[in-house]
Amino acid sequence: MNTSTSPGKLVMVRHGQSDWNLRNLFTGWTDVDLTERGIAEARQGARTILDAGLDFDIAFTSVLTRAIRTLWIMLDEMDAMWLPVERHWRLNERHYGALQGLDKAETAARHGADQVKIWRRSYDVPPPPLADEDARHPRNDRRYRDIAPAALPGTESLKTTLDRVRPYWEDRILPEIRLGRNVLIAAHGNSLRALVKMLEHISDDAITEFNIPTGAPRLYEFDAHMNVTHGDYLGDAEAVAAAAHAVAEQASKKAG
């Protein structure tokens, strides 16, 4: 715990490998679970945090199982199941619209690799949207029943993902860090990319090539004005770089 009046530290972790990561499918808000590898990645992420001598005061996650279970596993491994945890839909993965459930490589073959890269990686171009009546639309999922339907996306770009993540960051997470509390976030590749873009002031073009590997903790430290003074992955740098490269190559893989 940070007992001084200086800002706390932030560690963010992308959930471990999910079943649809393994199968190379567009996942988005579809609720899938971790693979055995994903469970192992969550445990290893926790051990990496312990090796760095970090502990936490509060944790945040999305309302999707793969992120929630990653956080459970990590807290268990760190003997910190007692920590207060907040779940919020604003930390969900980017919504992939009508691409959700489709194989990435097959979609690239059908629409062209360039078009799929734009849908996947561009900052402000969303995939084709879901119709409101589509069963995959969050309006039709009971976990979002108390949210105004107009606030629930049928598709998102990274830009609109950041637009819905930012208020939760500013209203709930940032105040905890300002108070000197150490914060752990277990979320998703694109909700975390949105936060990284905001925290590190990464350009719209550069963020398209920024990839977050599963299970790799990323540490942020701040000055008194809440400017980032340090932002990098914990653990073995070469292993993290290799895992990030594997994320970048996903669109060309055949489904497993």
Side-chain angles (χ1 to χ4, degrees):
M1 177 184 293
N2 183 352
T3 57
S4 71
T5 57
S6 61
K9 298 177 181 179
L10 167 67
V11 172
M12 55 176 67
V13 185
R14 182 184 177 188
H15 63 79
Q17 183 193 63
S18 75
D19 179 60
W20 279 22
N21 291 148
L22 177 64
R23 295 168 61 190
N24 205 33
L25 306 179
F26 287 101
T27 310
W29 286 31
T30 307
D31 200 19
V32 299
D33 211 339
L34 300 181
T35 62
E36 288 301 314
R37 173 179 161 182
I39 291 170
E41 288 175 338
R43 288 182 177 140
Q44 180 56 52
R47 289 192 289 269
T48 299
I49 289 171
L50 289 173
D51 289 345
L54 295 167
D55 58 17
F56 301 96
D57 302 289
I58 190 169
F60 296 88
T61 189
S62 72
V63 297
L64 298 173
T65 298
R66 57 195 185 274
I68 295 169
R69 195 174 307 281
T70 294
L71 182 59
W72 284 354
I73 293 166
M74 294 183 72
L75 293 180
D76 188 25
E77 192 74 19
M78 295 186 291
D79 193 24
M81 293 289 283
W82 54 271
L83 273 184
V85 173
E86 291 188 16
R87 305 174 193 169
H88 204 281
W89 68 274
R90 289 187 180 273
L91 292 177
N92 278 12
E93 177 60 292
R94 170 190 171 192
H95 199 296
Y96 274 106
L99 299 185
Q100 291 189 169
L102 301 183
D103 176 84
K104 293 177 183 177
E106 291 177 0
T107 304
R110 182 177 304 119
H111 297 282
D114 290 344
Q115 177 62 68
V116 172
K117 184 174 182 180
I118 290 171
W119 285 334
R120 289 188 67 229
R121 306 302 300 178
S122 70
Y123 180 57
D124 57 2
V125 179
L130 292 175
D132 290 351
E133 64 272 13
D134 192 300
R136 296 170 293 170
H137 198 292
R139 293 182 182 207
N140 304 307
D141 188 324
R142 67 187 297 269
R143 82 191 72 194
Y144 309 112
R145 61 189 174 188
D146 295 328
I147 300 165
L152 296 171
T155 187
E156 289 179 306
S157 64
L158 184 60
K159 182 180 185 297
T160 52
T161 302
L162 176 54
D163 289 343
R164 55 110 163 144
V165 171
R166 189 191 298 272
Y168 190 65
W169 165 262
E170 293 176 346
D171 294 343
R172 278 299 303 127
I173 302 174
L174 182 60
E176 296 289 341
I177 300 171
R178 284 188 189 277
L179 289 172
R181 294 170 183 157
N182 292 338
V183 170
L184 175 62
I185 302 175
H188 305 266
N190 285 294
S191 53
L192 295 182
R193 283 176 69 227
L195 285 175
V196 169
K197 185 183 192 304
M198 180 185 68
L199 291 172
E200 300 188 30
H201 308 289
I202 298 175
S203 72
D204 296 356
D205 289 337
I207 196 63
T208 64
E209 302 302 326
F210 187 90
N211 297 286
I212 298 180
T214 51
R218 187 171 180 85
L219 170 66
Y220 284 95
E221 298 175 345
F222 304 86
D223 64 19
H225 303 289
M226 297 309 299
N227 298 308
V228 172
T229 59
H230 172 87
D232 205 356
Y233 290 105
L234 300 172
D236 185 285
E238 290 187 3
V240 170
H245 178 72
V247 174
E249 295 297 309
Q250 281 181 345
S252 60
K253 288 181 182 177
K254 291 296 183 184

